[in-house]
Amino acid sequence: MKKALLLPLCLLALTGLHAQEIAKKEDEKLGIYRETPAKINNLVHTKLDARFDYNNAWLNGKVWITLQPHFYPTDSLTLDAKGMDIKTVALSSAGRNNPLKYRYDGQKLFIQLNKTYTNKEKYTVYVEYTAKPNELKVQGSAAITDAKGLYFINPKGEEKNKPTQIWTQGETEATSVWCPTIDNPAQKTTQEIMMTVPAKYVTLSNGKLVSQKNNTDGTRTDHWKMDLPHAPYLFFMGVGDYAVIKDNYKGKEVSYYVEKEYAPVAKRIFGHTPEMMAFFGKVTGIEYPWAKYAQIVGRDYVSGAMENTTATLHQESAQQDARELVDGNRWEDVIAHELFHHWFGDYVTTESWSNLTLNESFADYSETLWNEYKYGKDAGAATSYAAMEGYLANPENASKNLVRFHYHDKEDMFDAVSYQKGGRILHMLRNYLGDSAFFKSLNKYLTENRFKAAEAHQLRLAFEEISGKDLNWFFNQWYFGSGHPKLEITYNYNDAAGTATVYVQQKQEGDKVFQLPMAIDVYEGGKKTRYQVMVKNNIDSFQFSYKKRPDLINVDADKVLLAEKKDNKTVEQFAYQYKNAGNYLDRREAIEYAAEQQGNTVAQSILMQAMKDPYHGLRSLALQSLDLKNGTIKTAAEKTIAELAAKDPKSTVRAKAIEILAAYDNEAYTPIFKAGLNDSSYSVAGASLSAIMERDNTSAVEAAKKMLAQPVKGSLVPAITNIAAKNNLSEATAPINEAFGKMPLSQEKLELLGPYAKLLASSSDAAQVKTGVFHIVKFREGIPAQYRTQIDPYINNMILQSIQQAWQKNTSAEAKELVEFIQAARSGEKKGF
């Protein structure tokens, strides 16, 4: 699972979140030990016949579930079956269904078997039922915003420009909304699903498509079969009018299900998948283990993406047009994340949600591994650093163990601890053990636990057996403990004695002291000497001899520690670090230090160099760090900024440079901005349009009007919205509505609300304004409840109210109806939705 909610939204609502965390700490549910569910009966095989009622958004199902007692004899079976109408429960044997006694409470189906079965015997239970997902009261999480399992998207075709689709979302325990099962991750079952759908649609499920049968009523029945066992939360059904683009990996089908307009670019979006399969097979020592791999895009998906075995589901943001892809495939990390789950999560599954990090930390870390392999060491390090920042951004994360046996709700496990912190812990372990031992350990863990469920101790034992090292200290500290170190690093040089002393002080709250293996590099006379040390006290000191005072002592030289650090180097030492230490974080630390010291000439030189850094991300960082209020900086940087704006090979760097170049009052740069309007990159075109607006509003309006004839996406959306709002361009309302409606939940969308509301307030088209209000409310409602404390008042009392007040001045009947609609939207009523 890849979370959809982006970090900045979490930060915006941090005050509200903190209050809710305190409330949870007082909740008695936190005192409950979340044990792995006992295994009484084990799933063996699940066979489902699914037929869809589009008018009612129901599934009419027949399921045959083959089971076997785990160890002790039993004469009963409990299945998870949420919100269903149960019609028949029977024992299926020799082609006959013999009724069984049962009790159903709306959540669980308690079945009395016909006899006591031993663990040597299998039996098959038949259940006929109707699933009604839209009538079930459920609650999602920050990662998965809804939990009704089965989703009918525009089932009656009433929403214009939206396809009719069906898709499922099983994690955490929502498969049991549409298929009775034992819905916990420690269960594994083979599977067959028959889906009967209108013949015009294609289907997707786990495993391989083994047959298709055309029916006389205009429907078709597709039979999908999964011969290898997997957990129920990974069951999947997808239905829709898709283009299916075929690819392959070593004779296995690889396919991409996209809306038809994206068929020409499907391989540009997903086309690295076969190479990823080869790479992940190489690093784990296990070839992709499943029969096929398909990826499908679903409208209105409730998360980022989901690793359903052999059939990953992505939210619609995965679909990008050719111009968007010029700036880079924003979904590539997600594609890697979900694919790696097919080893960590699908092949070997966490046995309980307490151990969720066994799934998610590896998927998170796959993004670092892939970027490092495909795009170089800097790209991998940048990915890892961004993930660490995601964890550190919320102080509440430091209070949570990685493996948690106490939590308020299982959904709470889907957080930056299970994901980003877990990934950084794997990064540290890889550095400590070395690549060979690390990856051989992964192979051992996967091999010994294949098609089974596992817990963190089994991972530890695999690492210990391969490396020969006792790792209890590491796992107790990082997996079964909480927090991270806060380090202050200071230096003392004694030239008379020829000794340098490095002091590492741990300053985190509480009495926990971390044990931290790390490298320290000492640079003396152009030569680097590496020392391996172990920090394990509140204050540790390490002494090094020298003949000439070192130019730099670089603590945590590999830059792998999950920690907050205050490193008391001089600006000269940071300048040396930027030039000579070489790692992405070595250079980033120097840039960030220089950004705070821009009155210093050495710091200025760091920033000037960094604008030409070989890694595009650091060039962008240097650009956005420039203080153009400093006349020296502004003058010294101008030529380089102009060169980057015109010629940088990376479109995102060109866009950032154009954005900054707009601050220079120099007509010589106007040709760069005008040329940028026609750039294939939305980022460059959007930055250029904004730059022109600051200099020549009339030209900007003309350019914006021309752009409205083409898709408005990416950075063009805020640029055109700002121009349209400023100049009352009512013709922009419809395309901006469409663009805003398609934007994912993000900080960018939140920041767009102001100019978007101004545009809607100035528009004369009540129908389009109503559509815009609908999009704003949908955005509001899409934010998980725990983050809405701060956002709801802003949207209701500022954004929507400003539109309402503008239209209250209009006395027409349609204006009055619109004002009532907005008032209902602000109050949370469902009127008009």
Side-chain angles (χ1 to χ4, degrees), residues 106 122 173 192 277 318 362 520 553 691 780 830:
K122 296 178 183 177
E173 296 172 8
E192 293 175 76
M277 296 167 81
F362 282 101
I520 297 179
I553 298 178
R780 181 191 69 194
K830 297 298 182 182

Side-chain angles (χ1 to χ4, degrees), residues 795-806:
I795 291 177
N796 295 334
N797 301 330
M798 294 183 68
I799 298 302
L800 293 176
Q801 187 178 45
S802 68
I803 304 169
Q804 179 182 332
Q805 289 173 340

Side-chain angles (χ1 to χ4, degrees), residues 102-113:
Y102 68 92
R103 178 173 61 85
Y104 181 54
D105 66 2
Q107 295 289 312
K108 291 185 180 292
L109 183 59
F110 303 94
I111 302 170
Q112 183 65 45
L113 300 175

Side-chain angles (χ1 to χ4, degrees), residues 18-91:
H18 179 70
Q20 292 195 30
E21 289 291 345
I22 292 174
K24 286 181 181 180
K25 287 177 182 176
E26 296 171 350
D27 195 311
E28 61 184 25
K29 287 186 177 180
L30 280 176
I32 300 172
Y33 175 74
R34 305 293 182 173
E35 66 180 7
T36 301
K39 288 185 175 181
I40 300 170
N41 289 284
N42 289 334
L43 296 173
V44 176
H45 185 71
T46 302
K47 181 179 179 180
L48 172 66
D49 181 344
R51 298 167 188 265
F52 303 102
D53 181 338
Y54 282 82
N55 287 327
N56 291 306
W58 293 349
L59 180 153
N60 293 310
K62 299 176 182 179
V63 65
W64 293 261
I65 309 170
T66 301
L67 305 106
Q68 189 170 13
H70 181 74
F71 183 79
Y72 300 106
T74 184
D75 63 355
S76 63
L77 168 67
T78 300
L79 296 175
D80 298 292
K82 301 182 179 78
M84 298 177 177
D85 286 347
I86 304 296
K87 300 175 181 179
T88 303
V89 177
L91 184 76

Side-chain angles (χ1 to χ4, degrees), residues 522-528 546-552 576:
V522 179
Y523 293 79
E524 181 184 351
K527 179 184 177 183
K528 179 181 80 173
Y546 62 82
K547 293 180 180 179
K548 179 184 177 184
R549 178 180 286 205
D551 299 294
L552 172 70
Y576 189 93

Side-chain angles (χ1 to χ4, degrees), residues 610-625:
M611 284 192 291
K612 299 179 181 180
D613 194 277
Y615 182 62
H616 65 87
L618 292 182
R619 296 199 298 277
S620 291
L621 176 65
L623 283 167
Q624 70 188 38
S625 299

